[in-house]
Structure formats: structure tokens, C-alpha cells
Amino acid sequence: MSEYALEIKDLSHRFGDYPVLDKINLKVWPGQIVAIVGPSGCGKSTLLKAILGTHPPTEGTVLADGEPVTGPTRNVGIVYQHYALFDFLNAEQNVAFGLKLDQTSLFDRTVLYPRYRRIRKKHLQDSRDFLRRVGLEQACGKYPSEMSGGMKQRVALAQAFILKPKVVLLDEPFGALDEAMREELQFMLLRFYQENLEMKRAGKRPQYTILIVTHELNEAIFVADRVIGMSRFHTEGDLGATIVYDKPCPVFHPDDPRDYSKFVEQREELRRAVFDDEYIKDRNKYVTFTSDLGKLAEGQSMAPLPKISTANSPNH
Ligand SMILES: Nc1ncnc2c1ncn2[C@@H]1O[C@H](COP(=O)(O)OP(=O)(O)OP(=O)(O)O)[C@@H](O)[C@H]1O
Ligand SMILES: [Mg+2]
């Protein structure tokens, strides 16, 4: 297993003559929730498609858990703004559907029918367990037409996570939801992060590694442990967008009050770095994630905190 859940090396992309992405480099540790923000059209979805493997980049490489992504792979999952559920399957069946395709063949489902029934039962049990984790234990038997937008989106998330991909990409996943639903799903991500922390404390690899694209700067800082900003204005020429902001952000516990005032300063800094069309002369000014780690407390990041040398400390 690789140290990184995701590694992007010198990734550039152009559509014809039009440069969209310029030398993106990024390393994400297992268990991180990384928010990506940037002006509309700067290439966020293009980057996610390259990571997903459906649209390979013009240049550069993507590694998911150390394995090169050259096409769609079970290492990477995605959830879009508009959930794609099967209307004729209930919540439990929708979530189990991916497992069915993944773990049984047509031969299993016909010739080896008794064995298949046992596997199927296990899949439905796993599906119910996962639906409980996203707060939908009451809705296992509901069909999409009987669910709210937020419920459908949680089923879609369960569908992606149950296959245990190394990275899950969320492209504006809450964009179509009303404010209350959106908040509910944000808290769900905070709960996932707490599960990650528990796994890490137990010496295990955290389960949920997430890249979430959002237009909402508050949402980005609230749900993530790291925020990345993309902009085209990092150079005088027009080469495409790159990462111009990369910093850790405060980790909220689901029981904490939702206090945006705690990160007003960071939000304003992010806005300036990413949405200001004055070109940034020092493109690394706000790309300080790794060096900022030293300032964080335990439990504030899934990235390994630097070891503090005690050799020269006065108490040694
Ligand atoms: N298939 C395509 N062919 C040509 N150009 C494309 C294609 N897909 C995207 N583009 C262009 O690439 C640029 C980046 O698009 P992309 O969808 O990645 O932006 P985005 O950051 O996700 O925007 P938004 O926030 O609006 O979703 C845009 O200028 C878009 O017009
Ligand atoms: Mg997009």
C-alpha cells in the first residue's frame, strides 16, 4: 500500500489549443478530506475526470494508492451533483447493486445460485449497515421516488463508499440541495472524518479519503481538513489553471457549534488568492500545506505531523 491515497504529478490538460490545467502536483494522505475551490470554468471538473480515469490528462500522471490510473478503476469513485439511482430499486438494493456487479458474475447468479443467494444476503446486510452510517436506517425499503433530494444524495454516497475505493471524488455534491439538507450532509462528512481519526488512532488506515469540489468557501473550510484553490492567474501568459492555494484548515467535530467566525480570516485569504484576477507573482505564497503541518495539533490532519526534534530543546 502506498503512503498516499492519491498522487498527482505534473498534470496538464488542454482541449485542442485551449490550455485548461497547468502542471498540477498534489499528494493526498489516506483519510484526508480535501476541498477544491476555484472560479467557474477553471478546470475543477476536468481535474476530477482525469483522476477518475475517464478523461486522461494530456500530460502527467495520477496514482491512486500507488497504482497508475489509466482508465476507470475501482480505486476511485465519484458522486455528482445529480444522483444517478435506479428508480426500480429501493435504497438497500441501489447501494448493494455495485457490490453485485463487482463481486458476482452471471455464472454465479445462475449456475451457482445457492452460493449466490448467500453472497446476496451478505451484500444486502452490508448495504443496510452502510445506510445506517449515513443516517438512513429508516429508508432502506424506500424507492427514489419516495425520497427527498438529500436522502437520494446520501444513497448515492453510500453506493460510492461501499465499494471501498481509495479515493472518492465529490463534484459539487450538495449543489442541488436546500440549505438544511446541505448542512445535514456536511455533518455526515464531519462524522466520516471522526471515523477516520478513530481508525488512525487504532493504527489502521483511515477509510474515507475525499476530494470535494464546492463553490461555497464556508463549506470548503467547514468540512475539509485541507483546502486547495485553483486559478489561471498564476502567470502572465495563459497556460491554464494550477494550484495557487493549499493550506490546512480547522477540523470541526460534528457536535461543535457551526461557527463560521472561527475562519473568517482564512476565507478572506482564500478568496483573495483564488478569485483575484491580478496575477500572483509568487505562485507558492499560499501553497504551504506541508510546512504548515508543524503548527497543527494531533487530530487536526491526516497527514503525518513533522516529528519535533527534542535534541536542542532546553528540557532535554
Ligand atoms: N469536452 C470539452 N471540450 C472542450 N472544452 C471543454 C470540455 N470540457 C470542458 N471544457 C472547457 O474546459 C474549461 C474547464 O471546464 P471544467 O468543467 O473543468 O470547469 P469547472 O472548474 O468544473 O467549472 P464549474 O465550476 O463551472 O463546474 C472550461 O473552459 C470548459 O469550457
Ligand atoms: Mg465543474
Side-chain angles (χ1 to χ4, degrees), residues 142-155:
K142 281 200 157 77
Y143 287 84
S145 61
E146 302 166 322
M147 292 184 235
S148 69
M151 288 162 86
K152 282 191 261 194
Q153 194 59 316
R154 274 185 282 171
V155 175

Side-chain angles (χ1 to χ4, degrees), residues 15 18 20 38-47 49 55 171-172 213 215 230 232:
F15 287 111
Y18 182 63
V20 176
S40 184
C42 78
K44 302 178 296 295
S45 296
T46 304
L47 177 62
K49 286 175 193 164
H55 298 66
D171 199 352
E172 305 235 18
V213 168
H215 272 123
M230 290 168 58
R232 297 181 74 84

